[in-house]
């Protein structure tokens, strides 16, 4: 921060002494060099030799801020405490010694005040650096962080402009990439570029040497310097680069990761440097204090950049894991491909809509960037537990597995053949008993009997096939199943066998869907598997709720959901939003082996029915419908 121009600060470097002034009545009373002062003249911080009469007529003498040496006795203004009062007849040598003492004491006092001011400034800088350090450590967006670093550095030392460079590793040799520029006086369009990491440029030299460099005048750089400054910006805009301070940004391990460069330290932070004249008036070199401040800030900045990059690497690792997890889910059940991505998109979109236009009941609800990411992860991974469900159950399209249905088909074919064989045997035995050849009417009667027998079996098989569909089991079909379960056919040894085994009848009697009770419990267990798996991951604190949000996506407000049968007050808004999104996509997604897709309009209608029945949050369903969440395109499914 530049030095103040107040009178007390001119002694901070010990290079100036206070002036000596004498009033007209005291002229000639000292041999020391002095200026004649008119009564009331500005003399703050200086020494004044005066008579009592002059002091008495001096306006606000007690507040003049000078050191008074008074010659002679007399009445003085109230509150004024002179340094010395000498006799009116004091010899010149005595007056000289008194003036010398006053000048010395005044200078010491001024220097002490200046040092106290410097100490106060140093403390303020330390506090400011501490505040800056806190701000830097809390910012995780790299672009925002870099801008904050540069703007803060400029504010601390009143720099008019600045730029920031980062070292960029490449396959060949590292480069120094120009990533940010700021200028208070002239617009500074940023054209990202890279230069070799060598000593030919000032930034490269500082990055290699690891030490800060201060240049007093960029246009008068000594020829013996190994580096040069690029002044093309000055040439194209008329800007005048004068003082430059460049410092490396090094990590705790001492590795330089970038360079911070400040331009034109100003005496007035509001000044604008647009030409050489304004540079002459307002720009000063960067001094030791500015170098110390910038070095401290650069060290903090390097740590903040390193931490931010580390956080970004961790987040990329999480993203990679999520991608792999979603891929694993979809490979287990290709028929639900894209479900997790769409649910995440719908859920996050619904959260944004809830923030933008909340129903009265949700007024004030908001989600931070971390909370949005947490919600997204939970939605993407809500079905991951399906990896623990048997594939046969996971992809079961009908109530009976295909191999079991193949056995039933074969059983019914055998039953048909057995019934036909039995009828033929009875037909032949009857003819033998009658002792005659079959007549036409005999053959027609046999054909009719066979058609009737086979037709009954086919009717039974049709009932089985109808019951095997995952749709709601109709009462007529259920009645036929009961009949079929009581029917028998004869094996090759004449033993009666059932058309349907008990376990087959039990599976076919499932009233809705394709899963029996045991399989349904196994499928529902995917929620617990997801929860237990997500609990094993070392989630950062800001994402700690991911397992719990994913755990509840099949809960219903009336307590009829699973696995914990939570009721409305136990279900957070994040879970409610995911439940709405999950049900919509399950309804409207492309055909699945166990169901046909419905139109988006029909799916929205079902959501509203579920809300009216008390299963879903009516406000969130209405917002989902009104905001047309389902129609919003997904630009990047894994970055919704």
């Amino acid at each position: 921060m530049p030095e103040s121009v107040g009178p007390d600060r001119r002694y901070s470097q010990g290079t100036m002494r206070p002036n000596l002034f004498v009033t007209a009545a005291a002229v000639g009373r000292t041999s020391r060099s002095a200026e004649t002062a008119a009564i009331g003249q500005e003399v703050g911080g200086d020494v004044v030799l005066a008579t009592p009469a002059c002091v008495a007529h001096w306006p606000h003498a007690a507040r003049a801020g000078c050191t008074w040496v008074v010659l002679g006795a007399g009445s003085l203004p109230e509150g004024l405490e002179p340094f010395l009062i000498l006799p009116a007849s004091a010899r010149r040598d005595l007056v000289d010694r008194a003036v010398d003492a006053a000048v010395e004491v005044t200078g010491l006092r001024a220097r002490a005040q200046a040092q106290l001011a410097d100490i106060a400034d140093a403390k303020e800088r330390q506090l400011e650096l501490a505040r800056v350090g806190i701000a830097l450590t809390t910012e995780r967006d790299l672009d925002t962080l870099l801008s904050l670093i540069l703007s803060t550095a400029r504010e601390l030392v009143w720099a008019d402009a600045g730029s920031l460079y980062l070292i960029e590793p490449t396959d060949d040799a590292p480069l120094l990439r120009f990533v940010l520029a700021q200028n208070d006086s002239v617009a500074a369009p940023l054209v990202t570029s890279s230069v070799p990491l060598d000593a030919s440029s000032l930034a490269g030299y500082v990055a290699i040497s690891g030490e800060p460099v201060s240049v007093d005048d960029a246009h008068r750089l000594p020829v013996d310097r190994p580096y040069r400054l690029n002044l093309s910006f000055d040439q194209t805009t008329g800007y005048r680069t004068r003082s430059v301070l460049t410092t490396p940004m090094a990590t705790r391990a001492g590795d330089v990761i970038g360079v911070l460069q400040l331009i034109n330290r100003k005496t007035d932070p509001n000044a604008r440097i647009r030409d050489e004249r304004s540079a002459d008036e307002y720009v000063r070199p960067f001094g030791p204090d500015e170098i110390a401040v910038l070095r401290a800030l650069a060290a903090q900045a390097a740590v903040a950049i390193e931490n931010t990059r580390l956080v970004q690497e961790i987040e990329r690792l999480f993203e990679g894991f999520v991608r792999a997890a979603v891929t694993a889910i979809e490979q287990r059940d290709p028929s639900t491909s894209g479900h997790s991505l769409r649910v995440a998109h719908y859920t996050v979109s619904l959260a944004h809509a809830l923030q933008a236009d909340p129903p009265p009941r949700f007024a004030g609800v908001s989600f931070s960037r971390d909370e949005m990411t947490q919600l997204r992860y939970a939605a993407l991974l809500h079905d991951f537990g399906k990896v623990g469900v048997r594939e046969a159950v996971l992809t079961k399209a009908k109530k009976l597995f295909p191999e079991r249905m193949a056995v039933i088909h074969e059983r019914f074919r055998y039953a048909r053949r057995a019934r036909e064989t039995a009828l033929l045997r009875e037909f032949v035995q009857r003819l033998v008993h009658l002792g005659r050849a079959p007549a036409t009417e005999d053959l027609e009667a046999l054909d009719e009997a066979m058609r009737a027998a086979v037709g009954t079996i086919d009717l039974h098989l049709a009932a089985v096939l109808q019951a095997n569909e995952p749709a709601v089991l109709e009462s007529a079909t259920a009645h036929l199943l009961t009949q079929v379960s009581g029917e028998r056919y004869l094996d090759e040894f004449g033993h009666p066998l059932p058309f349907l085994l008990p376990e087959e009848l039990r599976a076919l009697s499932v009233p809705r869907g394709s899963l029996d009770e045991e399989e349904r419990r196994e499928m529902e267990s995917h929620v617990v598997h997801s929860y237990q798996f997500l609990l094993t991951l070392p989630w950062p604190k800001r994402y700690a709720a991911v397992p719990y949000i994913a755990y509840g996506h099949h809960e219903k407000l009336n307590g009829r959901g699973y696995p914990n049968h939570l009721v409305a007050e136990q279900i957070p808004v994040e879970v409610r939003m995911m439940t709405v999104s999950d049900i919509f996509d399950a309804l409207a997604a492309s055909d699945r082996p166990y169901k046909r897709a419905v139109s988006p309009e029909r799916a929205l209608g079902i959501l509203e029915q579920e809300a009216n029945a008390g299963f879903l949050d009516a406000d969130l369903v209405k917002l989902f419908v009104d905001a047309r969440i389902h129609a919003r395109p997904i630009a990047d499914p894994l970055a919704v």
Side-chain angles (χ1 to χ4, degrees), residues 256-331:
V256 176
I257 63 171
V259 171
L260 192 57
Q261 188 169 86
L262 303 184
I263 298 171
N264 287 344
R265 173 205 166 204
K266 297 185 289 188
T267 57
D268 179 358
N270 298 315
R272 294 294 177 261
I273 314 301
R274 294 190 174 90
D275 50 33
E276 187 172 358
R277 183 196 60 77
S278 55
D280 291 339
E281 182 177 358
Y282 294 113
V283 176
R284 299 292 181 269
F286 292 95
D289 289 346
E290 288 72 45
I291 294 175
V293 169
L294 193 59
R295 292 191 73 163
L297 177 64
Q300 292 181 331
V303 172
I305 293 172
E306 185 181 37
N307 289 342
T308 299
R309 285 174 167 174
L310 180 59
V311 169
Q312 289 180 338
E313 289 177 4
I314 294 173
E315 289 178 344
R316 283 195 294 270
L317 178 62
F318 266 103
E319 290 295 323
F321 162 75
V322 170
R323 290 173 185 270
V326 172
T327 301
I329 297 169
E330 294 187 349
Q331 286 180 343

Side-chain angles (χ1 to χ4, degrees), residues 208-219:
I208 293 173
S209 68
E211 293 295 329
V213 171
S214 178
V215 173
D216 292 348
D217 191 339
H219 288 266

Side-chain angles (χ1 to χ4, degrees), residues 293-376:
V293 169
L294 193 59
R295 292 191 73 163
L297 177 64
Q300 292 181 331
V303 172
I305 293 172
E306 185 181 37
N307 289 342
T308 299
R309 285 174 167 174
L310 180 59
V311 169
Q312 289 180 338
E313 289 177 4
I314 294 173
E315 289 178 344
R316 283 195 294 270
L317 178 62
F318 266 103
E319 290 295 323
F321 162 75
V322 170
R323 290 173 185 270
V326 172
T327 301
I329 297 169
E330 294 187 349
Q331 286 180 343
R332 288 295 316 282
D333 185 6
S335 66
T336 61
S337 177
H339 170 71
S340 296
L341 303 180
R342 290 189 297 273
V343 170
H345 170 63
Y346 297 149
T347 305
V348 173
S349 298
L350 184 55
H352 283 298
L354 184 62
Q355 286 188 141
D357 187 19
R361 187 163 58 88
F362 290 107
V365 170
S366 64
F367 304 95
S368 67
R369 178 177 177 271
D370 285 341
E371 288 170 335
M372 282 292 188
T373 302
Q374 175 177 257
L375 181 61
R376 174 173 161 263

Side-chain angles (χ1 to χ4, degrees), residues 208-521:
I208 293 173
S209 68
E211 293 295 329
V213 171
S214 178
V215 173
D216 292 348
D217 191 339
H219 288 266
R220 293 182 175 83
L221 194 66
V223 295
D224 60 345
R225 300 291 175 88
Y227 49 80
R228 282 291 169 267
L229 285 164
N230 184 352
L231 299 176
S232 59
F233 181 75
D234 288 18
Q235 296 167 0
T236 57
T237 65
Y239 186 74
R240 187 70 177 185
T241 299
R242 183 65 58 81
S243 57
V244 180
L245 175 57
T246 310
T247 190
M249 293 186 292
T251 66
R252 285 164 290 195
D255 299 324
V256 176
I257 63 171
V259 171
L260 192 57
Q261 188 169 86
L262 303 184
I263 298 171
N264 287 344
R265 173 205 166 204
K266 297 185 289 188
T267 57
D268 179 358
N270 298 315
R272 294 294 177 261
I273 314 301
R274 294 190 174 90
D275 50 33
E276 187 172 358
R277 183 196 60 77
S278 55
D280 291 339
E281 182 177 358
Y282 294 113
V283 176
R284 299 292 181 269
F286 292 95
D289 289 346
E290 288 72 45
I291 294 175
V293 169
L294 193 59
R295 292 191 73 163
L297 177 64
Q300 292 181 331
V303 172
I305 293 172
E306 185 181 37
N307 289 342
T308 299
R309 285 174 167 174
L310 180 59
V311 169
Q312 289 180 338
E313 289 177 4
I314 294 173
E315 289 178 344
R316 283 195 294 270
L317 178 62
F318 266 103
E319 290 295 323
F321 162 75
V322 170
R323 290 173 185 270
V326 172
T327 301
I329 297 169
E330 294 187 349
Q331 286 180 343
R332 288 295 316 282
D333 185 6
S335 66
T336 61
S337 177
H339 170 71
S340 296
L341 303 180
R342 290 189 297 273
V343 170
H345 170 63
Y346 297 149
T347 305
V348 173
S349 298
L350 184 55
H352 283 298
L354 184 62
Q355 286 188 141
D357 187 19
R361 187 163 58 88
F362 290 107
V365 170
S366 64
F367 304 95
S368 67
R369 178 177 177 271
D370 285 341
E371 288 170 335
M372 282 292 188
T373 302
Q374 175 177 257
L375 181 61
R376 174 173 161 263
Y377 282 152
L380 284 169
L381 298 172
H382 75 284
D383 273 347
F384 185 78
K386 287 183 177 179
V387 299
V389 177
R390 287 178 297 156
E391 187 172 355
V393 174
L394 191 64
T395 59
K396 190 179 181 185
K398 312 276 187 183
K399 295 179 182 179
L400 292 173
F401 293 113
E403 58 271 19
R404 172 56 60 181
M405 200 64 212
V407 170
I408 291 176
H409 273 289
E410 185 60 35
R411 188 184 302 150
F412 273 73
R413 279 195 294 270
Y414 183 87
R416 281 193 293 267
R417 289 194 301 271
R419 186 64 56 87
E420 290 171 347
T421 300
L423 289 172
L424 282 172
R425 184 181 294 112
E426 291 175 4
F427 179 73
V428 171
Q429 288 175 349
R430 186 165 57 84
L431 290 177
V432 170
H433 177 72
L434 294 175
R436 64 177 177 81
T440 300
E441 57 271 18
D442 294 327
L443 294 176
E444 290 176 350
L446 176 62
D447 288 340
E448 180 64 27
M450 283 190 172
R451 281 195 298 271
V454 171
T456 300
I457 294 174
D458 288 344
L459 181 63
H460 291 164
L461 180 59
V464 170
L465 294 176
Q466 180 64 31
N468 192 42
E469 295 298 321
V472 175
L473 183 63
E474 297 180 356
S475 58
T477 305
H479 179 69
L480 280 175
L481 277 181
T482 303
Q483 289 183 333
V484 174
S485 65
E487 296 291 333
R488 297 291 184 270
Y489 69 95
L490 299 178
D491 66 7
E492 57 185 318
F493 304 108
H495 300 145
L497 297 175
F499 278 84
L500 289 175
L501 300 179
E503 60 270 22
E504 295 168 346
L505 178 63
R506 185 169 56 252
L508 291 170
S509 299
V510 170
R512 183 174 184 174
S514 62
L515 304 179
D516 62 25
E517 186 62 25
E518 181 181 349
E519 292 164 344
R520 184 185 61 79
R521 286 196 299 269

Side-chain angles (χ1 to χ4, degrees), residues 33-245:
S33 177
E35 297 181 33
T36 302
I39 293 177
Q41 180 178 331
E42 178 66 41
V43 290
D46 294 312
V47 176
V48 179
L49 180 62
T51 62
C54 291
V55 176
H57 289 87
W58 199 289
H60 310 296
R63 299 195 300 272
C66 61
T67 301
W68 296 97
V69 178
V70 179
L71 291 173
S75 178
L76 297 176
E78 183 179 356
L80 186 144
E81 295 184 3
F83 177 72
L84 281 174
I85 298 178
L86 300 176
S89 60
R91 298 192 311 273
R92 178 179 291 189
D93 60 330
L94 179 60
V95 174
D96 287 344
R97 290 197 300 272
V99 167
D100 290 342
V103 169
E104 183 65 24
V105 169
T106 301
L108 288 173
R109 185 184 298 122
R111 285 193 290 274
Q113 290 175 347
Q115 289 173 353
L116 289 174
D118 288 341
I119 292 172
D121 285 349
K123 288 182 178 180
E124 181 59 32
R125 279 177 170 172
Q126 289 176 346
L127 290 174
E128 183 63 24
L129 285 172
R131 288 191 289 267
V132 168
I134 293 172
L136 295 182
T137 56
T138 57
E139 179 57 60
R140 291 196 300 275
D141 180 79
L142 185 57
D143 291 338
T144 304
L145 175 64
L146 297 178
S147 180
L148 177 62
I149 290 170
L150 184 54
S151 61
T152 302
R154 292 173 51 234
E155 289 173 7
L156 284 173
V157 297
W158 290 2
D160 185 60
S163 53
L164 193 148
Y165 302 79
L166 292 178
I167 293 178
E168 185 178 67
T170 66
D171 293 336
D172 298 325
L175 298 174
L176 196 60
R177 185 162 59 93
F178 175 51
V179 297
L180 185 63
Q182 295 175 357
N183 193 306
D184 285 343
S185 300
V186 179
L190 175 63
V191 179
T192 302
S193 60
S194 297
V195 297
L197 185 59
D198 56 32
S200 62
S201 66
L202 176 56
Y205 176 84
V206 168
I208 293 173
S209 68
E211 293 295 329
V213 171
S214 178
V215 173
D216 292 348
D217 191 339
H219 288 266
R220 293 182 175 83
L221 194 66
V223 295
D224 60 345
R225 300 291 175 88
Y227 49 80
R228 282 291 169 267
L229 285 164
N230 184 352
L231 299 176
S232 59
F233 181 75
D234 288 18
Q235 296 167 0
T236 57
T237 65
Y239 186 74
R240 187 70 177 185
T241 299
R242 183 65 58 81
S243 57
V244 180
L245 175 57

